[in-house]
Amino acid sequence: MSQSNIPNITPEISVTRDDAINLLLSSIALEELGLSHIINAEGEKLQYVLGTLPGVSSPTATISDILTVNGSVQDTISAITKKEFILENKLESILSTPSANGPTGPTGPTGPTGPTGPTQDTACDCCVEPLAEIFEQIPEDSLITIGSVDTNTVNLQNVTFLGFSSVGNFIVIVNQGGNTIALPLCQVTAVAGDVLEDAELQPQVTSTGECACCEDPVAEFLSLYSTADIDVNGSGFNNLQNLDILEVGEGLVKVEGNLGAGNNFAVLSLCHISAISNFE
């Protein structure tokens, strides 16, 4: 029977908690190995008595000899069984022991940059850009009325639409009494004129960012009704009464009614509507 191999541990023992747990598990494995050798030896003992051990000539055994050896083997197996219960309890205790976490390792290399996520919608997306498309549908030299958020802006009734500024489609140029005026679309609250009767609005889309909490709810609300009184911020379109709601689109609502200055059709910016009343 071979000897067990014991780890070489110097007097200066330096092991971690995890190392100690692994050594305890190893000790159980070594004890199981030793018990297996004992069981094998007991088996060879019986073979010797019965004369069946290979390569060995055994003397003739009497019934008494066999019973004696059999009793000895039974005692040994009984002791091994008790030892197995002890080893099982030892193993369960070790396996239930929480192992300590080691020190945090070094930071790994930075991974590749992921794809750019969706951007949040702004007033440019849900108010200014749809309004620019409305002005694109207005023929040059048409007479229109424009509302502005600035209450000090001159009355912009029946001005002549000249087109867009050369810097882009977010500044419109109009003429009033010989004066050429540039109007930033981000300051325009509405535009009126019979030329808008056939104007087409962008379909509504689900928005994000500031559009989701301002323009979207107003669009959903107006879509429920066919008539209403609407008040728009700034000058030119205050207290509009008895309006027929013709269409609600992205950032805009097209209405029909007595809008003054001979205008019956208008497109109002949802971002600049301050109140809605008498809605049906």
Side-chain angles (χ1 to χ4, degrees):
M1 184 174 65
S2 62
Q3 294 290 331
S4 301
N5 294 321
I6 306 300
N8 181 22
I9 302 177
T10 62
E12 295 181 0
I13 300 176
S14 177
V15 293
T16 65
R17 182 184 180 88
D18 288 342
D19 290 338
I21 292 175
N22 290 334
L23 287 173
L24 289 172
L25 292 173
S26 298
S27 71
I28 294 175
L30 292 174
E31 289 187 72
E32 290 289 355
L33 179 63
L35 292 177
S36 68
H37 284 296
I38 293 174
I39 294 173
N40 183 69
E42 292 300 303
E44 291 179 349
K45 183 192 295 183
L46 284 175
Q47 287 180 300
Y48 178 78
V49 172
L50 296 174
T52 60
L53 185 63
V56 176
S57 299
S58 304
T60 302
T62 64
I63 295 296
S64 177
D65 294 334
I66 294 175
L67 292 176
T68 299
V69 172
N70 186 64
S72 173
V73 171
Q74 284 183 330
D75 292 341
T76 303
I77 295 300
S78 177
I80 291 175
T81 301
K82 294 178 183 179
K83 181 64 174 179
E84 288 290 356
F85 281 118
I86 296 174
L87 291 177
E88 181 183 10
N89 291 332
K90 181 179 178 181
L91 177 63
E92 291 177 352
S93 297
I94 295 172
L95 293 179
S96 63
T97 302
S99 59
N101 294 327
T104 302
T107 302
T110 302
T113 302
T116 302
T119 58
Q120 297 290 303
D121 291 330
T122 66
C124 287
D125 301 300
C126 58
C127 292
V128 179
E129 289 184 358
L131 193 58
E133 287 199 7
I134 294 298
F135 276 94
E136 288 176 356
Q137 299 176 47
I138 300 175
E140 292 186 7
D141 298 326
S142 298
L143 292 179
I144 56 176
T145 296
I146 298 177
S148 172
V149 294
D150 185 2
T151 56
N152 296 319
T153 299
V154 294
N155 190 341
L156 296 174
Q157 289 186 347
N158 293 328
V159 297
T160 302
F161 177 62
L162 300 180
F164 291 96
S165 165
S166 60
V167 300
N169 288 359
F170 295 126
I171 296 180
V172 296
I173 307 298
V174 298
N175 183 276
Q176 184 182 48
N179 294 323
T180 301
I181 305 171
L183 300 172
L185 277 183
C186 59
Q187 302 299 312
V188 173
T189 61
V191 56
D194 289 346
V195 70
L196 296 172
E197 180 179 1
D198 297 323
E200 296 181 356
L201 308 186
Q202 290 183 14
Q204 296 181 58
V205 297
T206 302
S207 303
T208 59
E210 60 183 295
C211 295
C213 63
C214 179
E215 181 269 340
D216 278 3
V218 177
E220 292 178 10
F221 182 82
L222 288 176
S223 297
L224 301 175
Y225 303 100
S226 58
T227 61
D229 296 344
I230 299 178
D231 197 20
V232 180
N233 290 326
S235 63
F237 289 84
N238 307 106
N239 194 25
L240 303 176
Q241 298 181 351
N242 300 318
L243 297 179
D244 291 328
I245 300 173
L246 303 179
E247 181 184 0
V248 179
E250 177 67 6
L252 304 171
V253 57
K254 185 165 72 172
V255 297
E256 180 181 7
N258 184 8
L259 301 168
N263 296 314
N264 296 311
F265 296 92
V267 173
L268 313 178
S269 173
L270 299 181
C271 296
H272 295 296
I273 291 178
S274 59
I276 306 168
S277 59
N278 298 321
F279 39 86
E280 297 179 358

